[in-house]
Amino acid sequence: MADRFSVRHQPGFTAIAATCFVLLYFPIVVLVVYAFNAATSTSAWGGLSLKWFVSAWNNDAVIEASIRSLQIGAVAAVLSTAVATMAALATTRTPPYPGLTFKYAAINQPLMVPEIVTGVALLIFFSRIKIFTGYTGLGYLIAAHTAFCIPFAYLPIRARLETMDLTLERAAADLYATPWKTFRRVTLPLLWPAILAGLMLAFVISLDDVVITEFVKSGGQDTLPTYMLGQIRRGITPEINAISTVFLLLSVAIVTLFFFMSRKRE
Amino acid sequence: MSAAERLREHEKRDIRNRWLLSAPALLIILFAATGPLLIVLAYSFLTPGQYGDVEWKLSGEAWTSVFLERDIFDDTLSLADAHVTIFWRSVKLALMTTAATLILGFPTAYFIATRPENKRDLWLFLITIPFWTNLLIRTFAVLQIIRNEGIFNTVLIKLGIVDAPLQILFTDTAIMLGMVYVYLPLMVLPIYASMEKLDFRLLEAGYDLYATRFAVLRRIIFPLVKPGVIAGSILVFIPAIGSYVAPSVLGGGKNMMLANLIELQFGQGRNWPLGAALSIAVMVIVMIALLLYVRNAGTAETRHG
Amino acid sequence: MPEKPDRNAIEVRNVSKIFGSGDARFAALDRVSVNIRENEFFTLLGPSGCGKTTLLRLIAGFDFPTEGEILLYGDDIAPLPPFKRPVNTVFQSYALFPHMTVAENIGFGLEMLGKPKAEVEARVAQMLKLVRMEQLAGRRTSQISGGQQQRVALARALAPQPKVLLLDEPLSALDYKLRKDMQIELKTLQLETGITFIFVTHDQEEALTMSDRIAVMSAGKILQVGSPRDIYDRPAERFVADFIGESNFLPASVVSTAGNLATVRLASGAEIPASLPDGFAPKGNVSIVIRPEHAQLSRPEGAALAGTVENVVYLGTDTHFHLRLDSGEPFIVRRQNARGHTDRFAAGSQVGLLIPADSAQILKD
């Protein structure tokens, strides 16, 4: 057993890979551990404590920012997924037609532009509109988030549609189902897991956004990430660790859900 | 209606329906992503206003200010050292980050691809989790570790390797560490996608023909996964060059990258046209990178997925 | 078989379906015309790529002809989308809805037509009984066997009582025994329900077994339409003769013609009677076809043809004799093995062939 030649083995690769995995998780683990650190200073260990979680919970600014994040995330996720579903239906299962590649490029465009550029562009554009209409609500943030969430919702829906050939829809039409009924009774149920996946993806992406939100927001419109950015710039409080931990748990929960859902379907 | 007419009518209707379906997505993106880019271009040719925003007067000042500066006294143009440094730092760090993530990510992708089928999903899951964790949180986590009172220095001092904490934070190195940490999964996933399709029997053929392990890596594995490598490199380089969080949090505002310079123009700098011009400059760099990608990807599938 | 005096359920008039253009122009159907009578079991037979499935899709409404028209009981069917045509399809891949149970699948068409729940349930029960699947009503379609899926697909398509049922190679995925059983079931079903069946297959045996009439297709054209007997005994073209059953082709020259019969001279000099395809009156050189079981072995003297036995192949029920005629062509003779038959025609022996009247058929090409 000892010296069997393995075709797949490359020297050092496993070591590097292992190192990578450790390095990837190490900082996060440290962060989570320190969230429970009773000591104020982050270099000494003062025993386990939940006090930073409590103080974060009592921090109005934190709660307000969190709610705002969730609101924007929910609306942007639903909008972008609905719109992405329609776009996916329009761009799959068809022989190429004029404009198809354009649509493709356009839908994926937000992925190709660095966030700083989009942030600046929206800052300029929306400031013009603000002057014009006087509206300074959450609408701008929601619009911006919806836009960059679209390609993320689009991806899993498109992937799923590509595996569904048109035969089932034809069978439904053959059995007297109108196009709308076919969509509702055949296409949609089969597409639903992918739509949910897109929804979750879009939600996480929206929650996570820092740069675009930072540039587009007006004063007092902090989301959780922009609030944290502000705090970090001013100095480090362990409260940030606590907030980060909760945020982390949320993201991990959603991704795990997503992962198990896709595994179940296999 | 003749048969041929009916057929054409049907095809036209189908295409029209597809345009209608995709319209909302396209409109939203046009409004809140693509369209504004054109406005940025326009703004780069205007004059800065007194208190920010712009005056509607055409000017090429912004573009010259990108790399050059005017001497206050005699109006001569000379190289704007500060700007050039920032450009150089951004490109340099982005390239180095790409290289570092490649060196780390390639073996990792290989490792995952060589796990048994039923375990692979688990490894992918482990790589994906950090990816979906907030960028800011991850960068903050790195901050916590490398700062003077952080774990890294504390351990070094305890072990007696150094006497005083190493100043890692607020250096270029810190920024790079942060970017590598954050963008590593973006390199691993595309390379893995290519490797998954690799036919390992080709490796057997290589060994059968007297190749060494390194030769097999260089002459068989690497060329076959090149599309994944290129895709990963692009996926890392583009966000890296425009990176904002890493230099803000880990560079402390002193080691600025392009994103910070741009932000400055919309804050204290009060030079929106310059900010716009710099943004376009970043886009140009990105476009060049994308062009290189498309040319190299060549016959490979250019479809997203 | 007596002529059925019913109306035409489907009329296909000069239908073409063309894909691509210029160099890449491909005619899946080339000016095809055929009439399918009501209550008949009509088969479209041909190799893959011949256009039979394309024609079926045009009738179902999943595609539109480039030229020509299709009539259903005299009305142009073209303006109707598939969900308005009283035509149902049994797909080759069955296309059962994976997220619905067997019962829900079968009731789907009736549901879409807006039938009241009680009626749907009754009909579904009836269908389940018809295809003997009552036990499996509540199962998901992914949990049943291939043969069972096939029956569900059939029940689903029959439930809404369509005027015409289209079957796209529905038996091709089944194993041999199951296939044979289903062939009999389908035939019985058609006779009982009286629905017009249009059946697509590439299996000529299947076509001969089940059909009232067959249309043989190749490369987008219909070559011949007729009852199984007509097609088999009197193939009009070489392709048809070759595709169905086994054939022996021989060159001959026409001596005289009279109505449906002709006299032809073979290479050996002998003159034999041969049947003419309808409306064909050739002169000079032609090809004829003789089925292996129609020729009889005899002594070489006085026979229409003569040759040497190259190979004798014993197949249990039959024996095949592979001959090489004196004029050079190969010829196969098939003879049933009767009890106590001794063989006079061993390999190497010289034999003669008798061609009874009504065995030889002149081909159009």
Side-chain angles (χ1 to χ4, degrees), chain C residues 261-277:
Chain C
L261 283 176
T263 313
V264 297
R265 181 178 299 118
L266 301 170
S268 64
E271 289 186 5
I272 57 169
S275 315
L276 279 171

Side-chain angles (χ1 to χ4, degrees), chain A residues 141-157:
Chain A
L141 280 174
I142 293 180
H145 278 233
T146 307
F148 66 70
C149 283
I150 289 178
F152 287 95
Y154 178 76
L155 238 62
I157 299 178

